[in-house]
Amino acid sequence: MAMTRAAMRKRMVVVEREDESEESSEEEEEAEFEDDDYEDEEKEEKEEVEEEEEEEEEEKVEEKRRKQKGRITISLKGKKFCKVCKATDHQAGFVGYVYMDCPNKPCYLCKKPGHTTLTCPHRTATEHGVVAAPRRRSLGLLDFVHERQLRSNLPTVQLPQLIPNKVDSAIIRLHSRRVTDMEFHPTNDNILISGDKRGQIGIWDFENVFNKTVHEDIHAALVNSIKFHPWQEGMMYTASSDGKVCFTDLESGTSTDILDLNPDGWAGPSSWRSIHGMNLNNRRELALAADNFGYLYQLDTRANKKVEKPMLVHKKGSKVVGLHCHPVDCDIFLTCGNDHKTRIWDMRMLAPDSCLAQLDHPRVVTSAYFSPITGNKIMTTCLDNRIRVWDNICADLSEPSREIVHSHNFNRYITSFRAEWDPKDRSECLAVIGRYISDHFDGALLHPIDFLDVSNGRLVEEVYDKSITTICTVNKLHPRLDCMATGSSRSLFIWRPKDVVVDALEDEDATTEAKEVKKITLQIYEADGGKAGRAKGKSMDNDDDDFAFLKKKAMAKANGAGPSCSKKEKTKRKSKSEDDDSSDDTEPSPEKGKAVVTPPSEGRQLRRRSK
Amino acid sequence: MSSWNYVVTAHKPTNVTHSCVGYFTNPQELNLIIAKCTRIEIHLLTTSGLQPMLDVPIYGRIATLELFRPPGESQDVLFISFERYKFCVLQWDAETSSLITRAMGDVSDRIGRPTDNGQIGIVDPDCRLIGLHLYDGLFKVIPIDNKGQLKEAFNIRLEELQVLDIKFLYGCAKPTIAVLYQDNKDARHVKTYEVQLKEKDFGEGPWLQNNLDNGAGLLIPVPLPLGGCIIIGEQTIVYYNGSVFKAIPIRPSITKAYGRVDSDGSRYLLSDHIGMLYLLVISHDNERVSALNVELLGETSAASTLSYLDNGVVFVGSSYGDSQLIRLNQQQDAKGFYVDVLESFVNLGPIVDLCVVDLERQGQGQVVTCSGAFKDGSLRIVRNGIGINEQATAELQGIKGMWSLRASSSDVFDTFLVVSFISETRILAMNADDELEEIEIDGFDSEAQTLFCHNAVHDQLVQVTADSLRLIDAKTRRQLTEWRAPAPISINVATANASQVLLATGGGNLVYIEIGQGTLVEAAHTKLEHEISCLDINPVGDNPEHSNLVAVGMWTDISVRIFSLPSLTLITKEMLGGEIIPRSVLFCSFDGIAYLLCALGDGHLFNFMLNPSTGELSDRKKISLGTQPIALRTFRSKNATHVFAASDRPTVIYSSNKKLLYSNVNLKEVNHMCPFNSASFPDSLAIGKDGELTIGTIDDIQKLHIRTIPLGEHPRRITHQEQSRSFAICSAKYSSTGSNGEDMESHFIRLIEDQTFEITAGFPLDPYENGCSIISCSFTDDTNVYYCVGTAYALPEESEPSKGRILVFLVEEGKLQLVAEKEVKGAVYNLNAFNGKLLAGINQKIALYKWTLRDDGTRELQYESSHHGHILALYVQSRGDFIVVGDLMKSISLLIYKPEEGAIEERARDYNANWMTAIEILDDDTYLGAENSFNLFTVRKNNDAATDEERGRLEVVGEYHLGEFVNRFRHGSLVMRLPDSEASQIPTVIFGTVNGVIGVIASLPQEQYLFLQKLQQALVKVIKGVGGLSHEQWRSFNNERKTVDARNFLDGDLIESFLDLSRNKMEEIATPLDISVEELCKRVEELTRLH
């Protein structure tokens, strides 16, 4: 991948006011926290659509309102009042990322009365109250190998789950805005594609961390979905909030718009269409995309043009957030939307109100996926802080098989959380999702990434790295390798299992030469040289320090060899405004976080099941 | 290039998966129908036992099998469903004795989770519908109308997701199912539903029963008058019908199969996982059940299916041991059991491992398999061809001919063995001490070479020498009369039956002489234009003592002619072509069909169908049996006639299914053979080899011969060591310990002598330690040959073993001496000798160990290098510095060892996600794999690719659905390789499967492959699959991720079935291929020699 980023660097402005609006909203993001959640929900009941947009940080539509609101909030800063019940005699709600319970309102996490967030039983045990799926008999590996020699129709074995729990490589601030979606290259194992809020698409080889490209002029707003063409190598479809679906060559970045929903440009939020969900139906050679007004579009991937008429799949005017095709029978697909619904459709009988099934949720559904191998399960993420799982799509779908309470409702401008399946797990039990609420780990307040066993709600492992203080919203498990990519703020991280690394290094009586070969190096690359943040002043210089720990580790391991850490490629930004957005959803340093939390007792330190 | 492969079955599946009893072929006669995964057998119950009626392959893996009687019909029809979601209904066609497809269809759903506990297919007892449980949460209904026609299927949503069993209940107004299921808390319950065909939904059933035995696994619906259902648990048996509840405790056991004894449902047979057979008796007064009783009957093979036939005879079908036909006795035997085994049916399945050895060192491979499971574990020695069990051998040089004679016509057994030499004839006879002793028969000319001799009518004997034909009284042993050839010509060839003699004298004279009481009458004489090379006058008509036809083989014009008797008129003249003279002709009849066989001097054999009344020949076929002249002789064994073809590759010709089969005999060159059925050695053969006379009995006449070495424990891995002439196996012994019935496992390494198959030594492994791999190998700088064993500790708390050992043994005086041991971190799934070192697959890695000498002179294994990055490196093969790894789920990868760097690196891999079950290296560039959806595939190394990326990819070149789960590939062959035959140039791989199949994969030259591919395409059009199943679909590579057409593999079973076709159909196929039927037959028969 050529490092032509600097040369290509220029800012694509599609809408005149875009720049301005973005900046202002960024400011807000830093300065204020959105009103607390309950209020949100109450409002929501009245004017659903509008409120949903807010939660979903729909920048263009919302911009004016935000500006005003922003001012008000800023003026209130420092005043003591409860964000939950609005009383002034106490302070509660989110302070930073730490939630302080309001004595008048119940638990923030599960919203159930009778306890506070601190004492919420779901906080200490994610499996609390979960009806576990029937246990399938599962053999140990050795028994499986021997037993299947006798009985050929053995149910498959439960393979040991390797949790990628250790940062293996990272690229710091590859993007100029927060990462919104990621996708692994379908054939090239170590290539990660990422899209950001500004519409840029980053390509990164995580085996050679300094090998990266950023295509900047493909989209003008959030890249919401990236999918690879089924057989044209290196060609991908990207869908964006600018209302376009683009067909892009990965290598050159040349792209053609195959769908543009806003041909006449910006004419106010009521007419601006953006695309969120997109997926490919490879049997019919179609790309399906859905917009923020509830319409579904079909694109022929052979001719790369729109076919059929747009069809209403969700409540008119409500945003369709996600779209996923069934892995086995791709004529079946799921949509989820701001109208609190998830719907299952069949391409063969596609008509408004003809969905096969509708899964009702109490709040906005931020993602809905079929399980990756058989497609027999459905997992949805809903803003009511619950992950819902249906175990068998043939069975009665009126109630989910189980609800797992998990903190992923958010009140700031971050990419929404989506619980994703492990595509390699044949039992289709393992899911990964970032956690919003922070916890203390080794004295630091961090947002771990949770691995859940969705068959019983058990927290398999919470993964964190001390140096990653930002919220890890976008997490993708590799379809073939034992690794995970995380997009947090503007940076990308690759995790690998700790055990494998250790195992590869030890070999009881390995000869010294052999040992050297197997040394695994931690690779970090700082895409913007760490300069951008510093310019802003003291308050922001933690931006660099965030990753100091990682860098130190890399230094130690790689022994300073290679360009991975010593050679900092300086790609200075030209626009001064960029300095401002450097800390898009990064958090104040751990120390700061702690300082804010001071009063709450040490009991906040949760006892979680150790891995 | 080994990319063009031919897959053929050498030993058919023997694992009995299903069986049922009913009136299928005839309204009056009971049939037993047996399913062996991909084959169906239909037997008829006769007073003398089971009589096979049909044995057909089927293009699918049978999942369920049920007989049912459509309304208004007098015979049953057969419902079969298949693992790939097809079903068919078969009906018997009495006229053609074949199966007609009455209905067929596809019941797959694109979305749905296949059930864990296997598919269920049941038919309503009142024949209103067929119910299928194929996917979790769905119950598929195929309605049957009142004319017995199947209607369109539909799904009903089933609330219970973990179904263990579903059965239809008897005597319900609406079809009603009972569902045994497990809930989320692992408790088990039974629920009933009415199937509402109109509403396409379930209605509430008459009853339910919650909280059953935790091990409840089987439902038995009870017929009227009782109705209701029996629920078999591991500790209790429950009867319930909604109102009456009876339960009894039983000895802890896992019931695997049941069979109903009485039609009123008051007695059932139950068989558990260790093969104990119980009788469950329901006591009742025709309305109410009063009690349940269980009684232990005895021990059989662990049953997978039980079918009660009649009169206390039960068929026990087994997957893990031999299937059996047993009789239940009224009286206890000495052991307190009530079971007699009437007959055992050999089952090789599951073949867990196998090795190919040449124990007799004859150049012919034998396969030794680890067969069976648990207590039914055994070793099986599988050998192609018929064995001779030698009883006596004497050195005798220069034998020119042998005949056996009875002392009198009324005797049953032979007494004399006449052995002819170049200028004398000697007669051997059995004496009182069962010894063969030379005697004199006065009437015989012992000073001349005997050309022929035989027992004749009127208690007489005939002897033909070059000068004369003598008639001898069998009682007085004196010569009665003599016929002399007119001088100067002499008798060249002679033959005779009981009443007729045919002589060929020089100059092409043919003389026909009839035998009377004390008289020899020359009845006819004719002069032919050429010399006669061979004659036969064997009776094939109704009269066993008299023939109407003679066969004559001719010099010069190379023909075989048929003359009629007594006039010696020429009926048929068949030109054989070529330049090789016929050396032996023979009339014979098999299965009521008469044949003429004619063998040539170069080891080829013609066979013709003979019309015994007209003497016409038809259906000419030519095959090659050997390279030397063949002498043909008939003999009888087990009440059937066979033909022995003596040559450099002795062969027995016999008939099965009205098809001639050729089975080679495990002997080197045989010159002469005659049957010698003496009182003390019944059914023996006298065999004249070079300088040796052997008397021996012959094995059963069948193609593959299987010897069983029962072990009583479960063999898992086997290897052979030439130097110590021994086998070593890893085995597991299961024993139940006392009261709680918990099975204990202990593991051993056993050393077995390779001739006697006696266990000579054992080495117990540690508790929890399993033997996982075993090889025989030697190391650099060490002359000894060792057995290396890889083990794993299967600790109950670990899901993946974290510890194992590599043990190195030396065989000393028939004992195993542990020379070295090495602890490793994981299960040693495989071991390979690798350039004088040891290569081991241990969990996720491949590790290389070298054999080093310690200071104190002892040896140890020392780690050298390794390669990581597999899920489980289960199967490893190596060639040179290349290592081919078959991963648990990541298909095949190719590694290379770099000796300079001491490192193992990945060179290329197949990126498909195949779950491997076996691999083998076909040649330097082509690797063969079997995966767990019963497919075979080949991948090829991409040496010439332009980019590194392409070179790093193993290209899939062949794909094929075998329909069998392969556990092991081994290079080798089951047949004797003749140096000059085409077949011997073809490399072959032998495989063994769970169903007990032994198969052969032969890598063909491209030209031959392309030709056979055309033949296969033609055959698919002519030979239709049973049940309307398509061959193309069956052989398409299929797993949960993809389905693609088979390529670069040929179905040998289909191609070889060409030989079973009628002449018309053969022509239909041969004509478009531009080849004569005869040539095509020859080419296909050549292929049958591969196995």
Side-chain angles (χ1 to χ4, degrees), chain A residues 135 148-149 348 376 426, chain B residues 110 186 352 915-916 1040:
Chain A
R135 250 183 298 143
R148 74 169 180 171
Q149 294 204 313
R348 289 157 291 200
N376 243 294
R426 300 187 51 94
Chain B
R110 281 212 284 202
D186 288 354
V352 172
W915 286 57
M916 304 306 295
E1040 57 197 6

Side-chain angles (χ1 to χ4, degrees), chain B residues 1019-1071:
Chain B
L1019 280 167
V1020 167
K1021 293 189 191 112
V1022 173
I1023 301 175
K1024 294 293 174 211
V1026 172
L1029 296 167
S1030 131
H1031 181 267
E1032 195 191 348
Q1033 274 186 31
W1034 167 232
R1035 292 306 183 190
S1036 61
F1037 182 100
N1038 166 278
N1039 61 25
E1040 57 197 6
R1041 293 168 298 278
K1042 67 171 186 180
T1043 301
V1044 289
D1045 284 348
R1047 58 190 170 117
N1048 288 336
F1049 277 100
L1050 289 176
D1051 183 354
D1053 295 340
L1054 177 71
I1055 288 173
E1056 289 175 20
S1057 67
F1058 172 76
L1059 299 172
D1060 301 337
L1061 294 176
S1062 68
R1063 181 81 188 184
N1064 290 345
K1065 293 222 162 157
M1066 281 187 177
E1067 260 158 21
E1068 198 182 310
I1069 284 164
T1071 320

